[in-house]
């Protein structure tokens, strides 16, 4: 529920007004309000989350990808509906609520006071948590957990059924965790110790803060805390600009970029300036040499001459390399292979020719072929006019100079046919082609003509590769020798090593660079051109330095971007708007009606020394009011009020706000007297009993002392309370029972409970379990002793003097008379009860346990005495009128 105030269209609560206002605030602040609504305070992890969310809204990426969550409309209870009475008559069928037994029902009286008692750990808190969730109470910090004994996946969200009466008509309502609660249940107000607080404001006053207004205070504190974190992070990320401060002062493009370095500086611009090509670096080297040269004209002539020599050397290298490159070697290899193959074919044909009968040994061999070819040559002279070997039969043989005859002519023709065959011809042609290629390689010029002067120039030009040219020349020579050996079959073609990198490209590039450098030197003799070179040199040097400092510059840009976003975050953390809203709401609530209602409640709860007063304050030249809490002597309440008094203030403010809210719905208190002393507990009990005459009041408590007090206060007021007990049964926790703890029972009800205990003793006795019988008997006598004590208070003294109750009811003495028989009965009953209960430390532990019939007789004695005293009550009263 919470404090309400009138606006156009009706009443609204502070929480609703803050929730509506929050929707126009940044998402992280909406998340903060949600957390404050649930837990009241922000933990360290909460602040971490909110800081990350605040930064995300300004473009700072969150590695944990946290997302803001706002308070839902259904999380808040709406204002009460006028003239609508909502009462709860039962809570039942709780499912997945802690370890509560399922299928249970907790009945609640529609009117008056219902007190639900349960010891710690019996399941009472499960019911109160469900009520807080279903009735949209603000205090929902305690989660409803499923039964830990159930297997994972065997349970769903918590559920419960409410039986309510709306203006007298019964209405079943279902509630399910994670879903919007039934709107009707929001009429029920739940007491929360944070319903109201008092705090010292910036003017030193102990100001009263109505329920809900603490959200804005918590939000303002969160803004201040997060602002401090942001400022600290800004300081920690201040970029170090010193490493490139000197470059930033130059008139170069790099200098201008660094001088204006900011969060908006483009990374691509830095990359472009910091990335130098080989040509850029070479150009810088040329400029450095050129501008440092004393006699640029002479130097240019030297460089031009060297460029010419390097060009000539590159040409020679290219020409020589072409003689032993892969193409040449592979071609020679192919020709040699072809020649060898043709030779093999020819040899086969020669073998077949030589094997013909009648021929001399060696016929068909090379010597024979040479002799035959010589005869062919000689025949052009000796047999002029004839074509060899077609000579006349009567002519002389050019070889033996004997007459040829027909057989001789035929033999010469056969020999010529063998010589002219294709295999022999092909072998000759292949051998000639291979021999020509062999001679070309053998006679190829591979000397690069590197004299001492050229060698020194090469060493000077290529210090990193001093043997680039000489090594290449040696490699070519070795490659030629290996190829020639392979032709003669004294080595393998596979053993021929490949050529290293051809230096001609390197030489050509160097020659080009030398020529360009020479031209630059020649140009430097022009003052205007030299000035341009100086500027170009400065630009390239600045870019080189930027390249070295690129990581540092990038880091600085990153920090500048981060700090800019953090500063934007800081700028958005002003609490002015929050304070203004808080002031407006306080002004609406600072009325004399609120002050009077609060003072009435403070007085009833025995905090009457503290008063709420309307205190004027000046805001912008206008007089407004705020509610302040003051002590009569002018002392500071913050230094005097105890924790119990602070809780009493919370109860008083809650009841005042309920009263002013004009709603008809009931109220629920969950352990309202924590931190309260016994005197103030009685005041709270009396006030709750009084409130129960106006509306339904439900109280959960584990405090048996408070239970006794509230029962007695209810009896005194003539409005007896309905009591329920929650405990652990065979079905599990949270089982409802009408029987309250023995300590809270009247004497007559204790007698009834004792007789039940006696019956249990009899049952166990008949089973033969002697130890259990003894234990239960002693327990029964201990309870019997407590019943006699209660009888003295309630029956003999008629409640004139009662434990837990302040003061003495002297008017009840008109019923009191103490006879000797009373003393004798009480003394005998207490003595025997103490003896067998173990209460008397002098009693031997080996004392025989009384029979259950003896126990029943002792209980009957108590009841007989009680009945006798009650019977004489009217006689005594009549005698004393």
């Amino acid at each position: 529920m919470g404090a309400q105030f009138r606006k156009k269209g009706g009443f609204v609560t502070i929480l609703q007004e803050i929730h509506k206002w929050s929707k126009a605030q940044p998402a992280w602040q909406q998340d903060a309000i949600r957390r404050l609504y649930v837990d009241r305070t922000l933990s360290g992890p909460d602040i971490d989350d909110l800081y990350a969310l605040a930064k995300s809204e300004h473009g700072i990426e969150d590695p944990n990808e946290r997302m803001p969550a706002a308070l839902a409309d259904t999380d808040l209870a709406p204002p009460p509906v006028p003239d609508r009475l909502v009462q709860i008559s039962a809570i039942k069928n709780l499912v997945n609520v802690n370890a509560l037994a399922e299928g249970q029902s907790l009945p609640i009286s529609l009117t008056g006071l219902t007190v639900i008692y349960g010891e710690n750990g019996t399941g009472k808190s499960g019911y109160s948590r469900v009520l807080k969730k279903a009735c949209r109470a603000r205090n929902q910090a305690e989660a409803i957990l499923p039964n830990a004994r159930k297997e994972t996946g065997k349970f769903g969200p918590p559920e419960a059924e409410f039986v309510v009466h709306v203006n007298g008509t019964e209405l079943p309502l279902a509630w399910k965790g994670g879903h919007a609660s039934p709107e009707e249940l929001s009429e029920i107000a739940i007491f929360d110790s944070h319903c109201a607080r008092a705090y010292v404001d910036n003017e030193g006053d102990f100001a009263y803060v109505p329920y809900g207004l603490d959200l804005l205070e918590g939000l303002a504190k969160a803004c201040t805390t997060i602002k401090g974190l942001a400022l600290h992070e800004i300081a920690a990320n201040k970029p170090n600009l010193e490493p490139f401060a000197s470059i930033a002062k130059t008139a170069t493009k790099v200098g201008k970029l660094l001088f204006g370095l900011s969060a908006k500086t483009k990374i691509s611009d830095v990359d472009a300036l910091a990335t130098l090509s080989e040509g850029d670096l070479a150009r810088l080297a040329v400029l450095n040499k050129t501008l440092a040269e004393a006699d640029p004209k002479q130097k240019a002539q030297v460089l031009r001459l060297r460029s010419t020599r390097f060009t000539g050397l590159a040409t020679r290298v290219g020409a020589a390399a072409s003689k032993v490159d892969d193409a040449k070697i592979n071609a020679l290899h192919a020709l040699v292979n072809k020649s060898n193959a043709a030779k093999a074919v020819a040899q086969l044909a020669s073998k077949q020719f030589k094997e013909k009968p009648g021929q001399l040994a060696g016929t068909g061999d090379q010597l024979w072929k040479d002799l035959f070819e010589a005869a062919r040559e000689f025949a052009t002279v000796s047999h002029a006019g004839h074509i060899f070997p077609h000579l006349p039969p009567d002519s002389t043989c050019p070889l033996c100079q004997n007459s040829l005859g027909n057989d001789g002519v035929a033999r010469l023709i056969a020999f010529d046919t063998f010589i002219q065959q294709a295999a022999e011809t092909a072998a000759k042609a292949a051998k000639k082609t291979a021999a020509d290629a062999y001679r070309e390689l053998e006679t190829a010029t591979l000397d690069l003509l590197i004299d001492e002067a050229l060698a020194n120039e090469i060493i000077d030009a290529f210090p990193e590769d001093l043997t680039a040219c000489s090594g290449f020349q040696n490699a070519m020579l070795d490659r030629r020798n290996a190829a020639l050996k392979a032709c003669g079959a004294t080595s393998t073609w596979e053993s021929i090593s490949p050529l290293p990198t051809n230096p001609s490209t390197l030489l050509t590039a160097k020659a080009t660079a030398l020529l360009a450098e020479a031209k630059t030197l020649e140009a430097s003799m022009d003052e205007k051109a030299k000035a341009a070179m100086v500027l170009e040199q400065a630009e390239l040097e600045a870019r080189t330095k930027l390249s070295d400092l690129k990581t540092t510059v990038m880091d600085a840009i990153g920090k500048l971007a981060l700090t800019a976003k953090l500063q934007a975050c800081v700028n958005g953390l002003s609490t002015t708007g929050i304070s203004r809203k808080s002031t407006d709401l306080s002004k609406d609530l600072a009325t004399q009606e609120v002050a009077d209602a609060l003072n009435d409640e403070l007085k009833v709860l025995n905090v009457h020394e503290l008063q709420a007063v309307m205190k004027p304050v000046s805001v912008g030249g206008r007089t407004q009011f705020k509610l302040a809490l003051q002590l009569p002597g002018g002392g500071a309440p913050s230094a005097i009020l105890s924790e119990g008094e602070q809780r009493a203030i919370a109860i008083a403010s809650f009841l005042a706000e309920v009263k002013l809210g004009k709603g008809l719905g009931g109220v629920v208190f969950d352990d309202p007297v924590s931190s309260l002393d016994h005197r103030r507990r009685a005041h709270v009990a009396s006030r709750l009993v009084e409130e129960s005459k106006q509306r339904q009041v439900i109280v959960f408590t584990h405090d048996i002392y408070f239970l006794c007090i509230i029962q007695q206060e209810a009896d005194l007021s003539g409005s007896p309370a309905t009591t329920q007990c929650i405990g652990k049964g065979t079905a599990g926790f949270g089982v409802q029972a009408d029987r309250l703890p023995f300590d809270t029972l009247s004497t007559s009800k204790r007698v009834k409970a004792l007789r039940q205990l006696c019956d249990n003793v009899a049952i166990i006795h008949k089973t033969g379990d002697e130890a259990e019988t003894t234990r239960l008997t002693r327990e029964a006598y201990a309870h019997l002793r407590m019943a006699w004590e209660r009888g003295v208070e309630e029956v003999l003294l008629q409640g004139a003097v009662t434990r837990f109750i302040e003061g003495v009811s002297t008017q009840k003495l008109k019923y009191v008379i103490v006879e000797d028989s009373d003393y004798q009965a009480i003394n005998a009953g207490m003595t025997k009860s103490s003896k067998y209960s173990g209460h008397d430390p002098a009693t031997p532990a080996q004392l025989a346990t009384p029979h259950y019939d003896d126990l029943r007789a002792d209980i009957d004695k108590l009841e007989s005495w009680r009945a006798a005293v009650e019977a004489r009550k009217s006689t005594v009263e009549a005698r004393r009128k």
Side-chain angles (χ1 to χ4, degrees):
M1 190 175 286
Q4 302 177 51
F5 58 95
R6 186 182 297 276
K7 288 193 72 174
K8 185 177 181 180
F11 284 93
V12 295
T13 66
I14 290 179
L15 292 174
Q16 287 178 314
E17 184 64 17
I18 292 175
H19 180 50
K20 179 182 178 182
W21 168 83
S22 72
K23 293 180 179 181
Q25 307 312 307
W28 78 265
Q29 291 192 14
Q30 296 182 47
D31 191 290
I33 288 175
R34 176 186 62 82
R35 294 171 190 251
L36 288 165
Y37 178 83
V38 174
D39 292 333
R40 308 266 179 336
T41 58
L42 297 175
S43 65
D46 285 330
I47 292 296
D48 291 341
D49 290 344
L50 294 173
Y51 184 34
L53 292 173
K55 291 195 292 184
S56 294
E57 292 185 16
H58 293 279
I60 301 175
E61 184 178 354
D62 176 18
N64 295 326
E65 298 182 349
R66 285 163 281 204
M67 298 299 293
L71 196 64
D73 293 342
T74 55
D75 291 334
L76 279 73
V81 176
D83 302 323
R84 182 172 69 169
L85 173 61
V86 178
Q87 300 161 296
I88 299 175
S89 63
I91 308 173
K92 61 182 183 179
N93 296 329
L94 278 71
V95 179
N96 298 318
V97 176
N98 300 343
L100 296 190
E102 297 183 1
Q104 298 297 308
S105 178
L106 179 63
I108 298 172
S109 176
L110 284 174
T111 59
L113 175 64
T114 300
V115 182
I116 301 165
Y117 170 81
E119 296 179 354
N120 289 328
T122 57
K124 172 180 62 66
S125 62
Y127 285 96
S128 65
R129 290 176 187 176
V130 168
L131 269 168
K132 290 176 182 179
K133 297 281 186 183
C135 298
R136 305 186 188 182
R138 179 177 169 189
N139 185 12
Q140 300 185 21
E142 295 178 309
I144 298 177
L145 301 175
N147 191 341
R149 292 182 175 87
K150 284 188 176 181
E151 295 182 26
T152 303
K154 296 289 186 180
F155 46 78
E159 297 181 46
E161 295 178 20
F162 288 82
V163 180
V164 303
H165 291 251
V166 180
N167 290 336
T169 302
E170 184 176 301
L171 176 67
L173 297 175
W175 170 81
K176 187 174 185 179
H179 294 72
S181 297
E183 182 271 335
E184 292 85 354
L185 289 175
S186 63
E187 294 278 355
I188 308 299
I190 309 292
F191 169 71
D192 179 353
S193 61
H194 295 270
C195 289
R197 293 179 306 108
Y199 73 103
V200 179
D201 64 18
N202 56 10
E203 296 176 3
D205 289 322
F206 202 63
Y208 164 72
V209 182
Y211 185 56
L213 206 57
D214 61 299
L215 287 177
L216 296 179
E217 178 192 353
L219 180 60
K221 288 182 178 179
C223 288
T224 302
T225 301
I226 291 173
K227 182 177 182 179
L229 292 173
L231 290 173
H232 182 270
E233 191 171 354
I234 288 174
N237 286 278
K238 183 179 180 181
N240 182 14
L241 307 180
E242 188 59 31
F244 45 83
S246 59
I247 310 175
K249 297 176 182 178
T250 64
T252 62
K253 292 181 180 179
V254 172
K256 293 176 181 178
L257 181 141
L258 295 179
F259 182 79
L261 203 67
S262 70
K264 296 181 179 180
T265 302
K266 295 180 180 179
I267 299 298
S268 58
D269 292 343
V270 178
D271 274 329
L273 288 174
T275 304
L276 285 85
S277 66
E278 292 184 4
D280 292 330
L281 295 174
R283 177 60 177 169
L284 177 59
V286 168
L287 290 171
N288 289 339
K289 289 182 180 179
T290 299
L291 296 174
E293 186 61 51
D295 188 351
K297 182 177 181 180
Q298 182 181 359
K299 184 67 175 181
Q301 292 175 347
V302 171
L303 294 178
R304 279 185 176 276
L305 181 59
R306 182 174 294 181
S307 174
T308 300
R309 286 198 290 268
F310 280 2
T311 300
L313 178 58
T315 301
R316 294 195 297 274
V317 169
S322 67
K323 302 296 184 181
V324 291
D325 60 12
D326 289 341
K328 286 291 186 181
I329 297 301
N330 291 338
L332 176 61
H333 186 190
L335 290 174
V336 170
N337 286 342
K338 183 177 180 181
S339 175
N340 291 336
K343 180 179 179 181
V345 173
Q347 286 176 342
L348 179 61
S350 174
K351 179 181 179 183
Q352 294 172 348
F353 175 73
K354 288 188 290 183
E355 289 176 352
K356 288 182 180 180
Q359 298 184 147
L360 295 174
T363 301
D365 290 342
Q366 189 60 44
L367 290 175
W368 177 85
K369 291 177 182 177
D370 293 343
L371 177 64
F372 191 80
E373 290 299 329
R376 186 192 305 277
E377 183 69 23
F378 178 65
T380 59
V381 177
S382 62
H383 296 74
H386 295 279
I387 297 174
F388 185 82
H390 300 285
L391 302 177
D394 57 351
S395 63
T396 303
C397 174
L399 293 171
C400 64
Q401 296 190 8
N402 292 320
S403 176
L404 283 171
N406 290 329
D407 289 341
V409 172
R411 189 177 298 275
L412 286 175
I413 292 173
F415 287 166
D416 186 61
T417 300
F418 167 71
I419 293 297
Q420 298 300 327
Q421 279 181 346
E424 186 66 21
T425 303
K428 287 182 180 181
K431 181 178 181 181
K432 182 178 185 305
T433 303
D436 292 342
Y438 179 91
R439 281 191 292 274
E440 181 182 356
L441 175 62
E442 185 179 35
T443 59
T445 300
L446 301 182
D447 186 0
L448 300 179
L449 304 176
I450 301 175
D451 55 19
E452 183 177 357
L454 182 56
N456 290 333
E457 288 180 338
I458 293 173
I459 292 172
D460 183 57
F462 307 104
E464 68 284 355
D465 194 357
L466 302 177
T467 61
C469 295
S470 60
F472 190 76
Q473 177 175 282
N474 293 333
M476 290 192 295
L477 293 173
D478 292 341
R479 186 174 171 85
R480 178 170 67 180
N481 291 336
L484 293 178
K485 289 180 180 180
C487 289
T490 59
S491 181
T492 63
W493 291 96
E494 289 75 13
S495 64
I496 302 174
S497 299
L499 283 173
T501 302
N502 192 321
S504 61
T505 302
L506 193 65
L507 289 165
T508 301
K510 191 64 176 180
T512 302
L514 290 171
L515 184 60
E517 187 178 349
K519 292 179 179 179
T520 302
L521 283 167
E522 291 165 351
S524 70
M525 291 184 289
D526 183 300
E527 289 301 322
K528 185 176 181 180
K530 183 176 183 179
M533 290 181 191
V534 170
L535 292 176
E536 185 182 2
Q537 179 192 41
E539 290 286 354
L540 290 172
E541 285 179 343
R543 290 179 63 192
T544 302
K545 293 177 181 178
L546 178 62
S547 178
D548 295 337
L549 294 169
K550 180 180 176 181
T551 301
T552 303
V553 173
M554 293 293 194
D555 181 67
I557 294 173
K559 287 185 175 181
L560 286 168
L562 174 61
T563 53
K565 293 174 182 177
L566 287 170
Q567 188 58 51
C569 182
V570 168
N571 296 340
L573 290 168
S574 171
T575 59
T576 303
I578 302 171
S579 299
R580 184 183 300 114
K581 187 62 180 178
S582 180
T583 300
D584 291 343
L585 290 174
S586 297
K587 179 184 65 175
D588 291 332
L589 288 162
T591 66
Q592 191 60 50
E593 182 184 19
V594 175
D596 292 343
L598 183 57
N599 284 329
D600 289 343
E601 296 296 341
L602 290 173
K603 185 176 181 179
V604 170
L605 295 178
N606 198 30
V607 199
H608 52 271
E609 70 276 9
L610 192 67
Q611 287 191 330
V613 298
M614 297 284 292
K615 186 170 183 178
V617 291
S618 178
V619 180
R622 294 179 301 156
T623 299
Q624 296 180 356
F625 291 89
K626 67 179 178 180
L627 280 176
L629 299 177
Q630 291 183 349
L631 290 171
S638 59
I640 297 175
L641 293 181
S642 66
E643 182 181 350
E645 288 170 319
Q646 288 277 13
R647 190 168 186 87
I649 293 173
I651 297 174
S653 63
F654 173 76
L655 291 170
E657 291 172 5
V658 167
K659 178 181 179 181
L660 295 173
K662 310 300 182 184
L664 304 178
V667 290
V668 178
F669 291 83
D670 184 15
D671 278 330
V673 294
S674 297
S675 305
L676 294 182
D677 57 39
H678 70 282
R679 293 182 178 179
R680 189 161 282 114
R681 290 186 190 188
H683 290 292
V684 171
S686 176
R687 178 65 185 89
L688 296 184
V689 169
E690 188 64 26
E691 186 66 23
S692 70
K693 298 177 181 179
Q694 308 297 324
R695 67 183 73 246
Q696 183 183 44
V697 176
I698 304 168
V699 178
F700 287 89
T701 184
H702 70 281
D703 190 334
I704 196 167
Y705 171 66
F706 180 64
L707 174 60
C708 292
I709 294 175
I710 205 168
Q711 283 181 309
Q712 292 166 359
E713 290 290 344
D715 290 341
L716 289 173
S717 72
S719 303
T722 300
T723 54
Q724 302 286 357
C725 183
I726 292 177
K728 181 180 180 183
T730 55
F733 295 92
V735 177
Q736 179 270 334
D738 295 329
R739 185 171 59 85
L740 290 171
F742 193 82
D743 293 14
T744 68
L745 300 179
S746 64
T747 306
S748 61
K749 289 182 179 179
R750 293 188 186 197
V751 169
K752 183 179 179 180
L754 283 167
R755 285 173 173 166
Q756 181 63 48
L757 282 174
C758 186
D759 291 341
N760 292 340
V761 171
I763 293 171
I764 298 300
H765 175 76
K766 292 174 182 179
T767 66
D769 190 340
E770 185 177 343
E772 183 64 8
T773 300
T774 299
R775 188 188 70 79
L776 289 176
T777 301
R778 290 182 181 276
E779 181 181 320
Y781 272 103
H783 282 75
L784 180 57
R785 183 181 187 279
M786 295 167 61
W788 276 108
E789 291 176 341
R790 176 64 174 165
V792 171
E793 290 180 334
E794 176 194 343
V795 180
L796 182 63
L797 300 180
Q798 290 295 311
V801 179
T802 305
R803 285 176 294 182
F804 310 144
I805 295 296
E806 266 191 87
V808 177
S809 301
T810 57
Q811 291 297 319
K812 293 184 179 181
L813 290 174
K814 64 184 178 181
Y815 305 112
V816 177
I817 185 171
V818 181
E819 303 284 358
D820 290 345
S821 59
D822 295 325
Y823 166 74
Q824 291 166 358
I826 294 169
N827 184 57
M830 287 291 291
T831 300
K832 188 171 183 181
S833 298
S834 299
K835 180 179 180 180
Y836 291 110
S837 67
H839 184 79
D840 185 353
T843 302
Q846 298 83 4
L847 191 67
T849 302
H851 192 270
Y852 60 83
D853 286 337
D854 294 332
L855 173 61
R856 182 173 289 113
D858 290 333
I859 296 170
D860 290 342
K861 289 177 182 178
L862 170 62
E863 175 58 17
S864 297
W865 171 80
R866 186 198 69 78
V869 175
E870 288 293 334
R872 75 187 185 204
K873 177 180 175 182
S874 57
T875 303
V876 173
E877 180 186 13
R879 191 171 68 200
R880 292 178 175 172
K881 281 186 177 179

